[in-house]
Amino acid sequence: MRGSELRSHRRYVLRRDQRTNFFWRVVFPGIIIVSGGAVAMLVVLGGRIIVGGTIGEVDDSLVVDPGEPGYLAFVSPTPSLLLVHTYDDSLVGVTFLAQPHPGKGSTALLFSSDLSVGVDVEVMWDDLLPEDVAGDVRRTLGQAYEHGGVAAVNRLMEWLFGFGFTNVLEISEVEMMTIMTHAEPLPYELADNLASMGTDGVMRLAYQAGFHELDAAAAADIYSFRSPGEIDIHRVMRQKAIWEAWFSAISGRQAEVLQEQSETASTETGLDVNGRGDDGGSVDADAGAGDAESSDSSGGDDTDFTRLSLAQAFRLLVANGFTVEIVPMQPAMPSEGSEMPDALAISDTEGAEWLKSRVRELVPWPAVPELSVHYAVRLLDGVGNPEARDALAGDIVDAGGVVTVVGNTKEFGWQETLVVYHKRGAQVVAESIATALDPGGKTVAPTFEEAQEGEEYFVDVTVVMGLDSLTER
C-alpha cells in the first residue's frame, strides 16, 4: 500500500474508533439515564391512575374489631355432617353430626330409615323421582333413598331442619368398616339375639345376645342388621350403642390417634370428606362457605375437612367429646286409604319442639340449603349487643332465611328493628322475617331498597336489630 493510502486508512480507523468510543462513553449512559427517568415517571403516573382513577379511592377504613361500629364479616357455617348409611342399595339410618363450638365436643342425632316426613313436602322433590312413581312411596327416608338416592334424603332432611349441611356423605358398609377399624376389637354388649331368614325360609341365629369384642366387619354388619319383623327403633338403639362403644374405644387411645393423624395422609379410604373417590364418584352436596372470613361469634373453625380422609374427619370432630342422641319417634298414623307399615314419625308437638330446640343449639350458624330455596341475610347489630343480635339467627332460619353476613351498623343507637329486602323475589321471606322478629307486638314492615349504581348487594335481605328488640326479648 502506498504511503498516502496508508495515512488515509489510518485516519478512517481513528475516526471510526472515536465515534465508537463517543457512543459508549456519552450516548449510551445518556440513554440509560433517560430510560430510568421515564420508568420513574410511569410509576408515578401509574400510581396516580390506580389510586385516583376509575376504580375509586383506596378505602383504608376497614374495621377489624367485632365490637366496633361498621364491622362486617362473612359467616362460616357451623361444621356439620349428614351421614346417609346404606347397605345393599337400601337405607339403614341417618346420622346428623355437628360441632357447635370449635375445640369442644360434638353431638350426633340418629334418625330411623322408617322416619316419615309427610306428604306435604312432595312438591319439594318431585324432580328427583321417576314420573311413574306413585305418591305413597314418598313417605319415609328409606323410600326416598330407594327412588331418589342421597339427593332425595338430603332434601327431606333440609326441609326437616330448615337449613343445609356443610357436608353430606353416603356411608356404605365398607366406609363404616373403615370408621370402626381404629376401634377394633370393639367391646359391645348386644341386648337381643339377631336372626336372619335363609333362602330356604328357615330362621337362623346371626348374633347371640351378650358381650362381644367385634372386629370392624362385624361392627358394621350389626350397625345395619335388622331381624325379620323387627321394628326399626330397635336397630337405631343398637346404632347408638355402636357409636358410644366406638367413641369410648378411640378416646382411650387418643395419643395413638393423634400420632397417626400427623403421620398418615388421606389414603385410608380413597375418599375425601365429601365422599368422592379418585374417579369422582359418589355424592358431593357440600354447601360450605369456602374461604369466607368469620367473626368470633359465627363459627370460626377453618378446618378444611375436604383434605382429610373420612376416618380422620371423624376423629377430629369427636376429639373433645361425643354425645349420641336418638330423635324422639313414635309409630306414624297412616292417612285415610293408605298403608304405612313400620313407619315412624317425630313424636307429636313435643318431639318436634325438642328437635327444633336441639338443632338450634347444635347449629347456631347453619349453612344455606343445597337443594331448596332459602335467602341470604345480612344481620347487623344496631345497639352494641352482639349476643342479642346472634340470638336472632334462629328466628331468621325459621322464617326462611340463612345468615351469611354478620356485623354492626356504622353507628349504634337504632331505636327500631329494620328489615330491608334488596331483590323483589325476597319480599315474601322479608315479610316472614319481620313477623318472626315482631318486637313489642307490632309488625315490623319490611321495605325495599334497590342496589345503587356501582353498589353490589351480596345478600337478599338486611336485618338491623334495634333497641325495641331488646326490650321485648
Side-chain angles (χ1 to χ4, degrees), residues 258-304:
L258 292 176
Q259 180 67 22
E260 228 177 90
Q261 283 182 329
S262 63
E263 294 178 353
T264 59
S266 304
T267 57
E268 294 156 316
T269 63
L271 296 174
D272 63 17
V273 77
N274 288 314
R276 293 183 296 239
D278 294 336
D279 59 354
S282 194
V283 170
D284 176 14
D286 182 14
D291 298 326
E293 180 186 354
S294 64
S295 70
D296 294 339
S297 61
S298 56
D301 186 356
D302 296 327
T303 302
D304 186 359

Side-chain angles (χ1 to χ4, degrees), residues 168 374 388 469:
V168 178
H374 272 61
S469 182

Side-chain angles (χ1 to χ4, degrees), residues 5-79:
E5 292 177 350
L6 180 59
R7 287 192 297 270
S8 177
H9 177 71
R10 288 175 177 172
R11 285 194 298 270
Y12 171 75
V13 173
L14 181 60
R15 294 191 191 100
R16 185 185 64 185
D17 291 342
Q18 288 174 341
R19 288 195 300 269
T20 302
N21 290 338
F22 178 78
F23 174 81
W24 290 108
R25 291 178 180 178
V26 179
V27 177
F28 183 73
I31 293 174
I32 296 298
I33 294 172
V34 173
S35 299
V39 170
M41 184 176 295
L42 287 174
V43 170
V44 173
L45 292 176
R48 290 177 179 175
I49 291 173
I50 292 174
V51 174
T54 56
I55 65 170
E57 296 291 336
V58 174
D59 183 6
D60 59 357
S61 61
L62 180 65
V63 179
V64 296
D65 185 349
E68 290 295 320
Y71 174 80
L72 285 177
F74 291 109
V75 172
S76 292
T78 303

Side-chain angles (χ1 to χ4, degrees), residues 126-142:
D126 275 345
D127 56 306
L128 298 177
L129 301 179
E131 294 182 358
D132 58 347
V133 171
D136 60 357
V137 304
R138 310 173 190 191
R139 305 277 185 161
T140 68
L141 294 176

Side-chain angles (χ1 to χ4, degrees), residues 147-207:
H147 294 276
V150 175
V153 176
N154 182 27
R155 182 170 293 190
L156 293 182
M157 294 300 291
E158 285 183 346
W159 174 85
L160 185 63
F161 278 58
F163 53 80
F165 316 103
T166 55
N167 295 89
V168 178
L169 310 177
E170 180 171 4
I171 307 297
S172 68
E173 188 178 26
V174 174
E175 279 80 55
M176 198 65 189
M177 287 173 55
T178 301
I179 296 171
M180 296 295 161
T181 297
H182 299 278
E184 63 181 351
L186 182 68
Y188 182 71
E189 186 75 28
L190 183 60
D192 302 297
N193 292 333
L194 300 181
S196 60
M197 180 74 71
T199 56
D200 56 1
V202 177
M203 293 281 290
R204 292 181 173 82
L205 181 67
Y207 294 95

